[in-house]
Amino acid sequence: MSESAVEHVTAPAHHAAAESHHPTAVQYLVVAGILTVLTVCEIGVYYIPALQSVLVPLLLILSAGKFYLVAAYYMHLHFDSRIFSGLFFFPLTLAALILISLTLLLGFLAHHPGP
Amino acid sequence: MAAQPRPIHAEQTSYLEGGGIYGWLTTIDHKRIAVLYGVTAVFFMALGGFEAMAVRTQLMYPNNHFLSAQTYNQFFTTHGLTMIFLVIMPLETGFFGNFLIPLQIGARDVAFPRLNALSYWIFLFGAITLNLGWLYGGLPNGGWFGYANLTERYYSPGPNIDFFDLGLLVLGVSSVMSALNFFVTIINMRAPGMTFFRMPLFIWSILVTVILILLAFPSLTVGLIFLFMDRYFDTHYYRVIAGATPILWQHLFWIFGHPEVYIMILPAFGLISEVIPVFSGKPLFGYPMMVYAIIAIAFLSYGVWGHHMFATGMGPVADMTFSVTSLLIAIPTGIKIFNWLFTVWGGRLRFTTAYLFALAFVIQFTIGGLSGMMHASPPIDLEQTDSYIIVAHFHYVLGLGALFAILAGFYFYWPKVTGRMLSETLGKWHFWLAVWSFNATFFPMHFLGELGMPRRIYTYAPHMGWDFWNKWETWNAYIIALSFIPLLLNIYWSLTNGERATEDPWDARTLEWSVPTPPPIYNFAEVPTVTARDAFWVAKYGSVEASGLTQSAPAIAPALVDVSKIHIPAPSLYPLLMGLGIFGMALGMLIGWYRVIFTAMALLVFSAIAMAFEYPNWGEENPHAVAESFLGLDSRKVGMWSFIGSETVFFACLISTYMVYKSRSLGVYDAGILNIPLTSFSTFVLLTSSLLMVLALAAFQRDDHKWGTIWLIGTALFGCIFLGGQVYEFGDFWLEHGMVFNANLFSQCFYTLVGFHGFHVFIGVVWLLVMAFAGIFGKLNAKRSLAVEICGLYWHFVDIVWVVIFVLVYLMRTVKGA
């Protein structure tokens, strides 16, 4: 990263402007509608016997969609400075890795230690 | 209650002047808080040193009974805890971090000065909690790592482990608060032109360290909460008999514990990187690579915790993974060592005491690092683990490493902190005595380890081949204690007769040396504009590469500004009162006196609310946070996102435990009990509350105060409905089905995870109601809508945590756990 490359970032107006473009009330209502539909789908998937074999991937995809919508629109990550996205998604990635590691180490690998 | 900015008197030139004892108790100035941290840490260093001397005396002879076995366990445990949490961390981040961050980045204070004071008071009371055993019941006695299940009430019935548990919980709160504050300060409050790659390396090291603290401490917090529940509510998080595994504690502890090693060593790297260039007469060699190396070390540090656990039998896949990641850390660490050497190479060296300590650090840390490499190899580690080689290794890294760096920083920055010079003669006496005694004490521990002496051993039989080296080490440990006498004499001499220091006594390179010595309360009369790395050096000599010509006065002319116009936040007593409240709660928990707990809680809540409304223009408070923001972002918003990041790891640890223990649970209760229709309804309620929250924000942003307030009340109401559903669900499980909190692993994990989420919702509802009242009284408008937005961020975070819990806990209830 060259020093000159980051010079322009010092202008406060740059980010202040980015923060001002929050969604309108109508957009919020649209997002709420989609969240409702996704939640209904989640509950539907849970109750439909034919989908039990793909329950886990379907639920993970649907909940990831809800997660993204709340973070991007209600928490404004889609509109705000990218710094905020970094402040959220870096710890989120680490949290996911911890979750996967612990379930593997104390679950699968504890029972299947390998050769 | 409302406090006005403090007037600055023209004659008040130093931050040390004025205020008396009350001024120190209510201070929110980062430099005074640094001094408070420093003095407290030095006190605990003496205490920890005393414990170490007692431990070494016990080991001086075979079959010695200088200490009882119980006292020995308490002393070696508390020595470790003290040196880590009450000496090295507070000296590096609390003292040096507080003092230097604003001065090095060209700011007038940290982003949240009152939070900074609160961090200190919580640290002090956490330290007292950890040491309450001196007065009652005995000190912590389970090792600094407090391995389960020795820490369970059955094996440790006394209060020793309670002091450990609650003390570390309180200290963790302080550390996270400080980390959040420093993170926001460095990200957002740099002087104009202070780009990331113009920041001094100490600032880089602190920036990375505080990220480690924010993301590593939640894991320890979760582990300590589980321990607390096992001991106070008879749960079974670490009890094999209930299907649990004590190894869970080791994972949670070391996910924190290995980054903790870097939390202690990275600031040491930063201090050394300030001292070596100044006394080598050269800029730091390979600055960008030094930065990348710090980042790489921090990143890798999250993936190496398993090397502390090779002996637990994790299996070849896990062993290999952790071995590779641990070995990889040697690469960025090696880069740093070579870059320090290349900085020295060809320089015009000035062998001051600070420089000598810095050079000794490089050599000694390398020795400690090399022995660390051995432990990255599982077969070698299996032979060496729990032997004295490990004691030698971590004392070389932290004692002869971090402590020597702290001493280098101490000799370097003492003139700036106090305005007085130290005696170089006494300093060199201190240095040579320290180098000899530390090495003579800790290097032979490698031999003892190879001879088979285990660590944490109370005493030993004669003729094991350990007698000589133990005696040798103990005598040299006494010399370590004596080596501090020249330092104490030096401090006394400096404060009473020391030469007055100029602004720039070392011909240094960075901004802190451009301000008067000691610095004024406002730091910079005029916020500097930075045009290059080593900004002060460039201002003096024209370019980073220029050789220093003289030790003349700084070339930067003093700014002709009216310092009385500078905004200085008023002192506040509330941080101290809040700290007392937290201490009272911990104390009440320890003695089981609920009146103390509730009184302390009331004090805490009162102080928090009083502090929130302390300044007349609340919501617009902290003007320098916005006006001087480097990125144009509000510091409060950056702070909230940082907090959310830390909370994410906290919930990940809770959810992981639920996933693992779900399938291990014994007894009749399992996820089949969960009420999907009720929870689906609650989920809709919480999602709708999030909609109302954003509608409230949109209303305030367009200055529609009436509808903004209505939506806020609606959000709080929906939050209450969600909580009501949770209370009904818990009551149904508990009263109708008999699934009490500690019925089995499933019940305790479920109640803990969902209960902690509910607690977050409760806090959010209280916050929303406070905001709603502010709306009703006309305190909220478009200008102050950011206060609503920050509250909303928290509320939405609680919402997305529920999105995850709803799926993983409820809808996947029939899926077998890990």
Side-chain angles (χ1 to χ4, degrees), chain B residues 416-429:
Chain B
K416 184 56 69 182
V417 175
T418 64
R420 301 273 189 168
M421 299 299 288
L422 285 162
S423 157
E424 278 294 308
T425 308
L426 283 168
K428 281 170 184 163
W429 270 100

Side-chain angles (χ1 to χ4, degrees), chain B residues 37 118-120 122-123 169-179:
Chain B
Y37 268 110
L118 178 59
S119 304
Y120 168 72
I122 295 177
F123 158 72
L169 275 171
V170 175
L171 287 168
V173 172
S174 161
S175 297
V176 170
M177 278 181 178
S178 281

Side-chain angles (χ1 to χ4, degrees), chain B residues 721-738:
Chain B
I721 295 171
F722 175 86
L723 284 175
Q726 206 165 64
V727 169
Y728 173 81
E729 184 187 32
F730 281 20
D732 183 53
F733 292 162
W734 202 303
L735 302 174
E736 294 298 318
H737 295 87

Side-chain angles (χ1 to χ4, degrees), chain B residues 42-304:
Chain B
V42 166
F43 169 78
F44 282 109
M45 185 156 72
L47 198 62
F50 166 75
E51 289 156 355
M53 291 305 128
V55 164
R56 275 307 332 158
T57 304
Q58 165 59 27
L59 293 173
M60 194 170 190
Y61 302 106
N63 288 333
N64 197 6
H65 296 284
F66 173 72
L67 299 175
S68 70
Q70 289 75 21
T71 309
Y72 177 84
N73 285 349
Q74 293 174 27
F75 275 17
F76 85 71
T77 298
T78 313
H79 166 71
L81 290 167
T82 301
M83 289 305 186
I84 289 167
F85 292 102
L86 310 184
V87 178
I88 293 179
M89 277 183 72
L91 280 177
E92 289 180 339
T93 46
F95 173 66
F96 286 112
N98 253 307
F99 196 86
L100 292 177
I101 290 171
L103 288 169
Q104 285 200 328
I105 65 172
R108 293 215 162 101
D109 207 322
V110 293
F112 308 112
R114 290 179 301 171
L115 188 70
N116 198 20
L118 178 59
S119 304
Y120 168 72
W121 292 113
I122 295 177
F123 158 72
L124 178 66
F125 291 124
I128 292 171
T129 306
L130 197 63
N131 280 279
L132 278 176
W134 285 102
L135 303 174
Y136 167 74
L139 296 162
N141 56 357
W144 87 279
F145 36 77
Y147 276 164
N149 49 8
L150 288 176
T151 49
E152 294 286 312
R153 185 74 73 191
Y154 180 79
Y155 301 106
S156 300
N160 317 60
I161 298 298
D162 298 321
F163 296 137
F164 165 84
D165 194 14
L166 288 166
L168 289 192
L169 275 171
V170 175
L171 287 168
V173 172
S174 161
S175 297
V176 170
M177 278 181 178
S178 281
L180 192 146
N181 209 346
F182 291 167
F183 179 79
V184 177
T185 304
I186 295 171
I187 289 291
N188 214 32
M189 297 190 62
R190 284 165 282 151
M194 178 68 83
T195 57
F196 277 124
F197 274 64
R198 287 176 184 167
M199 294 195 313
L201 210 78
F202 178 73
I203 298 297
W204 264 109
S205 73
I206 291 288
L207 176 63
V208 174
T209 298
V210 296
I211 292 172
L212 288 177
I213 291 175
L214 284 171
L215 302 182
F217 264 76
S219 175
L220 175 68
T221 304
V222 169
L224 291 169
I225 288 170
F226 290 164
L227 178 61
F228 177 81
M229 288 181 172
D230 274 8
R231 290 180 65 83
Y232 280 85
F233 301 114
D234 204 23
T235 54
H236 324 287
Y237 280 103
Y238 306 124
R239 294 180 189 169
V240 179
I241 198 166
T245 169
I247 299 297
L248 173 68
W249 165 264
Q250 292 204 29
H251 281 296
L252 292 174
F253 183 82
W254 288 116
I255 285 174
F256 147 81
H258 202 81
E260 169 69 9
V261 173
Y262 294 99
I263 287 166
M264 287 188 279
I265 205 65
L266 289 182
F269 289 174
L271 282 171
I272 293 305
S273 302
E274 297 302 315
V275 173
I276 287 180
V278 168
F279 296 114
S280 299
K282 286 170 63 187
L284 188 67
F285 184 89
Y287 171 94
M289 288 309 292
M290 293 292 260
V291 172
Y292 294 134
I294 287 180
I295 295 170
I297 289 170
F299 186 74
L300 286 169
S301 76
Y302 280 108
V304 300

Side-chain angles (χ1 to χ4, degrees), chain B residues 616-697:
Chain B
N617 298 323
W618 78 275
E620 297 165 27
E621 192 234 316
N622 204 357
H624 58 271
V626 181
E628 297 170 15
S629 162
F630 186 88
L631 297 174
L633 303 173
D634 189 281
S635 289
R636 290 164 293 175
K637 196 167 167 182
V638 180
M640 176 48 74
W641 273 112
S642 314
F643 174 71
I644 286 174
S646 187
E647 285 278 274
T648 306
V649 178
F650 175 82
F651 276 105
C653 293
L654 285 179
I655 293 171
S656 307
T657 305
Y658 174 84
M659 302 285 281
V660 170
Y661 275 179
K662 186 171 119 174
S663 60
R664 286 172 168 262
S665 188
L666 307 174
V668 294
Y669 301 107
D670 60 24
I673 198 173
L674 299 177
N675 186 338
I676 301 298
L678 171 71
T679 319
S680 301
F681 171 73
S682 296
T683 304
F684 280 115
V685 167
L686 201 59
L687 281 173
T688 309
S689 76
S690 263
L691 171 65
L692 300 186
M693 185 75 235
V694 284
L695 291 178
L697 175 61

